[in-house]
Amino acid sequence: MLTITKSMIEKISKIMDLDKKEKEILSKYFKIQKANLKIKKHSYKAFRIIHNNSLGPGKGGIRYHPNVSEDEVKSLSFWMSLKNSLAGLPFGGAKGGIIVDPKKLSQDELQELSRKYVRAFHKHMGQDKDVPAPDVYTNPQIMSWMLDEFEKINDKKEPGFITGKPVELGGIRLRNDSTSKGGFIIFNELAKKENIKNSRIAIQGFGNAGYFMAKHLSKNIVAVSDSSGGIYDPKGLNIDKVKNIKDEKGSVQNYSAKKISNKELLELDIDILVLAALENQITKENASRIKAGYIIELANGPISNDADGILFKKKITVIPDILANSGGVVGSYFEWLQNKTGTGFEDSYIERMFDQKMKETFNKVYNEYKNSKHDMRTAAYVIAIRRILDAERLRGRI
Ligand code: NAD
């Protein structure tokens, strides 16, 4: 993953004509913190990494996964710097992780591990230093335990220390589906610009991001998949029924429609493909067989660098992850703001501000993209990096 980040920095540096100092700024990490968290006889490696903080405190989720590594957390923190910068938020980029399979822990052990994570890194965290959030296999309950531990250590209330909390502890109602809602708003803006109509849609991944996206899009969804495989009906799927069947029987494949593999789903003859599962799903191996005209990256990094070039030549438009899934962190921003100012924003106010922020960000990227000879990902990176480097320059660091 770190190789992808490095080659992306190289590519953008050439396009933006960055000098050595500017490239160094993008390649370095402000703070790399590591700890071993002991629960009974086991020791779990944990990380919290801040990539860049020139625009504000670090911001990014904490991932609990057996395959998390320092390199992965570094790459994800870099992407968070870009995502936060692109959305115009007052945040730098950060990410955290623990190498653990949370499914093997009891609730008590999970709570102990989460509290120990905060004890290990609390000196470097806080609403004005570094603000964590949920990511893969972490959730509002874990955020609540972490908040409680942080406030206990510091002997004061500071709900803005962490986002993705339950509403009762200062969270916002929008956060649950803010990622897919943001992706939906952005897709609608693109549809208006490019006159996209009557589209047949396939969605890879039927979890939090994929399911809510399916609900927002609601019509013309002809295929969905999960880790067991996919289903296809050219006449359209009933998303509520698919969801009920997945909840009852464990997989979308129990729905009565033609069973297809995940590989087949990606290569269907459709108009729009939503990637909402894992990284590296479209690579140079299958990129030439993709038939969709538009791809929405709700997942982080689902298309490899090589594949990007192939898709661009085929005139397939990709809405890149740092734009398409930025609704998650934009939602977090309103939660942080509400906590910092001690207010409780009305839901309708948050919805309105959220909608405005997503549209503004899309239009910035779309204009840059249309005025360049590159893809939308490159346009988004250029805008994000420009803002970070401007802040660095103003601070006298370059
Ligand atoms: P999730 O765990 O809720 O759902 C993931 C879904 O992908 C599940 O349905 C799973 O069965 C499916 N899946 C796993 N392996 C698969 C495979 N090989 N093929 C097809 N489907 C497969 O996770 P999520 O929160 O929906 O996140 C999905 C992606 O979106 C991740 O890349 C995540 O980083 C990204 N993302 C999510 C959010 C958010 O707020 N949920 C925000 C930003 C980015």
Side-chain angles (χ1 to χ4, degrees), residues 63 76 83 95 134-137 175-176 178-180 204-211 225-229 246 262 275-279 281 298-301 325-326 328-329:
R63 177 172 290 200
L76 292 167
K83 200 182 291 186
K95 203 81 183 188
D135 193 69
V136 176
Y137 292 143
R175 182 63 185 89
N176 226 0
S178 57
T179 301
S180 50
Q204 186 199 41
F206 202 67
N208 190 21
Y211 163 66
S225 67
D226 58 29
S227 54
S228 309
K246 178 163 169 73
N262 261 299
L275 300 174
L278 305 171
E279 56 279 345
Q281 294 303 292
L298 284 189
N300 284 313
N325 70 29
S326 62
V329 75

Side-chain angles (χ1 to χ4, degrees), residues 143-182:
M143 300 304 108
S144 307
W145 292 327
M146 288 186 165
L147 173 68
D148 191 61
E149 190 62 29
F150 185 80
E151 292 185 337
K152 204 158 68 186
I153 295 168
N154 291 293
D155 193 22
K156 65 167 184 174
K157 297 294 171 202
E158 191 180 316
F161 144 71
I162 204 160
T163 60
K165 302 179 291 294
V167 172
E168 293 80 352
L169 293 181
I172 57 167
R173 254 170 282 277
L174 175 79
R175 182 63 185 89
N176 226 0
D177 77 331
S178 57
T179 301
S180 50
K181 191 167 234 170

Side-chain angles (χ1 to χ4, degrees), residues 197-201 269-273 291-295:
K197 285 195 185 124
N198 295 328
S199 311
R200 294 155 303 159
I201 306 164
D269 184 12
I270 43 161
D271 303 296
I272 296 158
L273 176 60
K291 297 184 194 72
Y294 295 88
I295 301 179

Side-chain angles (χ1 to χ4, degrees), residues 29 31 33 43-44 55 77 98 110 125 131 148 151 156 195 199 232 261 276 295 307 314 325 331 348 355 357 379 397:
Y29 293 83
K31 224 176 241 179
Q33 304 155 85
S43 178
Y44 300 94
L55 292 168
S77 71
I98 306 182
L110 201 57
M125 290 174 158
V131 186
D148 191 61
E151 292 185 337
K156 65 167 184 174
N195 207 14
S199 311
Y232 174 57
S261 68
I295 301 179
K314 280 172 63 96
N325 70 29
S348 58
D355 188 78
K357 189 104 197 110
R397 296 180 185 169

Side-chain angles (χ1 to χ4, degrees), residues 296-311:
I296 308 171
E297 288 188 325
L298 284 189
N300 284 313
I303 300 178
S304 74
N305 281 353
D306 311 336
D308 257 344
I310 300 170
L311 299 175

